[in-house]
Amino acid sequence: STAVGVVSGSAFLNCYNRFAMSPIASGDTITAGAYEPYVVDVGTFAYSTADYGCYNTDGQGDPASDAYATAYSRSRVITNGENYANVGTDYQSTGRKSFSLGSPAITDLQSAITGGYFSICNEGNGVSGNQYVFLAAHNNTTSANRPRLSITYTEGGGGSAIAAIMNSYRRRREQP
């Protein structure tokens, strides 16, 4: 698992989920999507919230290969104004969460088809002190707890399908 929030009073933790877009062909049209992280432990996040949004302002780029400082700045979804939504109190309890992706995310997903990957970031909102939550990572020993991206799309030749795409996962932190 990895953390989102603040630890030791000043180390800010953001994390991302990176999804392979290869199951979707370039001629397909994405019509809907849902981001589905799994909260393993609420840690000390009982009174905090988080936002999620696209990495690098468009969901593209590779957080794993970016330099540490670059990856952190590109995962600042609140500061960068690239947040899709606030999770409200959903990260204050354990279990599978599901967040519908609106039109800005659908546009970013559609563009990411040709790039090969799409990355969503989680950033603590208004957290301070020692407030964090643990999310299941892509290699969680319980495969059912791994984060998911569900996409509904129309194939280039017509028809409809749903693809559940697994991800890579990493955390980033900054010492102010």
Side-chain angles (χ1 to χ4, degrees):
S1 62
T2 192
V4 176
V6 180
V7 295
S8 301
S10 62
F12 292 85
L13 302 177
N14 296 346
C15 65
Y16 68 84
N17 298 113
R18 182 173 175 238
F19 299 92
M21 296 297 289
S22 55
I24 302 173
S26 61
D28 296 344
T29 302
I30 296 174
T31 58
Y35 170 51
E36 302 173 358
Y38 189 93
V39 177
V40 177
D41 186 335
V42 296
T44 57
F45 215 65
Y47 303 104
S48 300
T49 66
D51 283 30
Y52 67 93
C54 59
Y55 178 79
N56 194 30
T57 71
D58 62 3
Q60 298 181 49
D62 184 359
S65 65
D66 278 344
Y68 181 82
T70 301
Y72 181 79
S73 68
R74 290 180 174 179
S75 67
R76 300 292 307 273
V77 298
I78 299 168
T79 304
N80 297 341
E82 300 297 335
N83 56 319
Y84 295 142
N86 183 283
V87 301
T89 59
D90 286 325
Y91 282 1
Q92 296 176 10
S93 62
T94 59
R96 172 74 56 201
K97 310 302 176 184
S98 183
F99 307 109
S100 294
L101 298 174
S103 59
I106 300 304
T107 299
D108 291 341
L109 282 165
Q110 190 69 45
S111 297
I113 292 173
T114 56
Y117 292 95
F118 178 74
S119 297
I120 291 180
C121 300
N122 290 272
E123 180 177 13
N125 188 340
V127 295
S128 62
N130 287 314
Q131 297 175 323
Y132 52 88
V133 61
F134 291 102
L135 302 177
H138 75 286
N139 59 353
N140 191 282
T141 55
T142 305
S143 61
N145 293 354
R146 295 174 183 162
R148 299 187 298 229
L149 178 66
S150 298
I151 297 175
T152 304
Y153 63 95
T154 303
E155 296 175 320
S160 184
I162 296 178
I165 305 170
M166 301 311 288
N167 72 314
S168 296
Y169 198 93
R170 179 175 296 229
R171 71 178 180 171
R172 298 289 181 189
R173 71 177 166 179
E174 170 190 38
Q175 299 286 343

